[in-house]
Amino acid sequence: MNEVKRYVNLAFVIAAMVMFWFFMKFSELVLSLVQVNDLRLMGEHVTISTVIGGVVAVIVAFLMWRSPKIYEGSLNVAREMKKVTWPTKPETVYAMKVVVATSIIVALILFGFDFVAKQVTELILGIR
C-alpha cells in the first residue's frame, strides 16, 4: 500500500514540474501580449514568469494532492496498474512483427487496388 502511495505522490511531483513549465511559458506569453517586460529577478534564468509559473504550479499541485476525490482516484488507478500483467520482451517483439507484417500486406493490397483502378480509369477515359 505504501509503495502505491509513493508512486502516486511521485506522479504529483512530476505533474507539478510539467505544470511549472506550462505555466511559466503561459506567463511569458501573457506578459509579451500585454507588452510587459519579463524582468530578471535573480541571475539569468529567474524571471517574473518563472516565479509566476512556479507559484501557480505549486498551488495547483497542492490543491490536487489535497483533494480527496483526485487523490483517491489516483490511488485506485495505481492499484489497478499493479494488477496488470505486462507482456514480456519476446511477446512484445512478436506482436510488433505481426503488426509490421500485417501493415505491409494491407499496404500491398491497397496498392494493388489503386493500381487496377487507375488502369481501368485510364482505359475507360482513353488517356493512354
Side-chain angles (χ1 to χ4, degrees):
M1 182 64 162
N2 284 338
E3 185 177 342
V4 172
K5 282 187 177 183
R6 188 177 316 144
Y7 286 130
V8 169
N9 291 334
L10 179 63
F12 277 104
V13 170
I14 292 170
M17 287 192 268
V18 171
M19 284 188 286
F20 165 66
W21 178 83
F22 173 79
F23 287 127
M24 181 185 66
K25 294 298 182 183
F26 184 75
S27 300
E28 287 176 5
L29 176 67
V30 169
L31 289 175
S32 69
L33 288 176
V34 296
Q35 297 178 347
V36 174
N37 287 336
D38 196 6
L39 299 175
R40 299 195 187 289
L41 301 176
M42 292 185 293
E44 186 176 326
H45 299 292
V46 180
T47 61
I48 292 175
S49 60
T50 308
V51 173
I52 292 172
V55 169
V56 172
V58 167
I59 290 171
V60 171
F62 181 75
L63 292 175
M64 288 174 56
W65 180 67
R66 293 296 297 166
S67 168
K69 189 175 183 180
I70 294 174
Y71 192 75
E72 281 300 317
S74 301
L75 284 175
N76 288 336
V77 168
R79 285 186 202 110
E80 290 300 318
M81 291 300 287
K82 285 195 66 81
K83 295 177 186 177
V84 172
T85 305
W86 297 100
T88 62
K89 184 176 179 179
E91 291 171 335
T92 306
V93 169
Y94 176 75
M96 182 201 63
K97 288 178 182 177
V98 169
V99 168
V100 169
T102 304
S103 298
I104 290 171
I105 291 169
V106 169
L108 290 173
I109 291 171
L110 290 174
F111 172 77
F113 283 140
D114 183 56
F115 183 76
V116 169
K118 178 183 175 236
Q119 295 300 322
V120 170
T121 303
E122 286 178 354
L123 182 65
I124 292 173
L125 295 176
I127 294 176
R128 282 195 207 188

